[in-house]
Amino acid sequence: MSKRLVMFDMDGVLFDTMPRHARAWKLAFDEVGHHEPESAYYIHEGRNGKGTIQTVLGEDADWEPVYRRKSEFFASLPEGGLIPGAKKVVEMVHGAGIPAIVVTGSGQARNFDRIAAEYPGLFRTEWMVTGKDVTKGKPDPEPYLTGLRKAGVAPQDAVVVENAPMGVESGHAAGCLVVAVNTGPLPDQCLLDAGADYLFPSMDALAEHLEEILR
């Protein structure tokens, strides 16, 4: 194996939480008079909360109250399970002796506790990157560049696993090999246009080709 680091997005890659996020965003935006269907919020997947709100409502929007309500709605909704095949992929990376970290736009501590519970000992938590660790969220390369810096790994030696165009664009701009897994409702072409080097329909499909990707 030649790769030295694998960086995983969280929502939609490790956990099936995007329907919950989309519902919470719709409820929060509805309260401030912005009405769109839940499906419209998938295109913002990967942005941090502030970035999502200011993209939807404008750069001058008072984002903190909206994000607070979104977080409250999110906490009240049913918790999604693990993405099928995700644990298998992470275990394969771990078994190959390659460090794995999470790079997410989320800043909610309860999600990080869940990673420790559902993926015990599989991630290097000291290198984790959250929405609170960066100034610019995805699609800017800063989140993945931050992960590379923490791990001390060059971009060409790292793999990014993403499921959203914003995250794919971020990983591609950081100079990493980007694997897209389409676990949501967006067309495959959205992920390819964002710069994905590989595209799979599921984490189980990725597992079948993981060894060749990590070479």
Side-chain angles (χ1 to χ4, degrees):
M1 299 296 181
S2 62
K3 296 302 182 185
R4 298 178 51 215
L5 181 69
V6 181
M7 297 185 282
F8 290 86
D9 179 41
M10 183 175 66
D11 295 304
V13 171
L14 302 179
F15 299 120
D16 187 19
T17 44
M18 271 313 299
R20 187 182 180 194
H21 278 291
R23 180 62 177 163
W25 278 124
K26 176 170 173 53
L27 292 170
F29 281 122
D30 280 351
E31 285 193 342
V32 294
H34 183 90
H35 303 288
E36 288 188 278
E38 290 177 25
S39 59
Y41 297 108
Y42 279 86
I43 198 64
H44 301 289
E45 182 180 356
R47 294 188 196 274
N48 59 23
K50 179 181 179 181
T52 297
I53 294 162
Q54 292 186 334
T55 298
V56 173
L57 300 180
E59 291 187 4
D60 295 329
D62 186 5
W63 66 273
E64 292 187 65
V66 181
Y67 186 65
R68 189 179 309 114
R69 289 295 286 151
K70 186 266 180 179
S71 298
E72 291 169 355
F73 284 126
F74 183 82
S76 72
L77 294 168
E79 189 174 74
L82 272 62
I83 291 288
K87 192 167 186 178
K88 178 181 180 180
V89 170
V90 180
E91 287 175 338
M92 289 176 68
V93 171
H94 183 76
I98 302 173
I101 66 172
V102 174
V103 177
T104 175
S106 175
Q108 298 177 15
R110 68 177 67 88
N111 294 330
F112 313 144
D113 292 339
R114 192 178 179 202
I115 290 172
E118 301 281 8
Y119 295 87
L122 296 177
F123 287 105
R124 295 289 294 268
T125 55
E126 72 272 22
W127 295 343
M128 184 177 187
V129 180
T130 77
K132 296 180 178 180
D133 295 317
V134 298
T135 302
K136 296 180 180 178
K138 303 171 186 177
D140 192 271
E142 184 182 354
Y144 285 110
L145 290 174
T146 301
L148 292 169
R149 177 181 54 77
K150 285 187 175 187
V153 172
Q156 65 268 23
D157 294 328
V159 176
V160 165
V161 182
E162 270 282 356
N163 73 306
M166 298 288 177
V168 170
E169 187 176 341
S170 176
H172 178 75
C176 303
L177 180 75
V178 182
V179 176
V181 182
N182 196 351
T183 61
L186 297 177
D188 285 350
Q189 195 61 46
C190 290
L191 297 164
L192 294 171
D193 289 345
D197 297 291
Y198 292 87
L199 175 64
F200 296 100
S202 67
M203 292 294 278
D204 283 317
L206 167 58
E208 295 177 9
H209 298 271
L210 187 61
E211 286 191 11
E212 64 189 72
I213 291 170
L214 295 179
R215 290 194 184 103

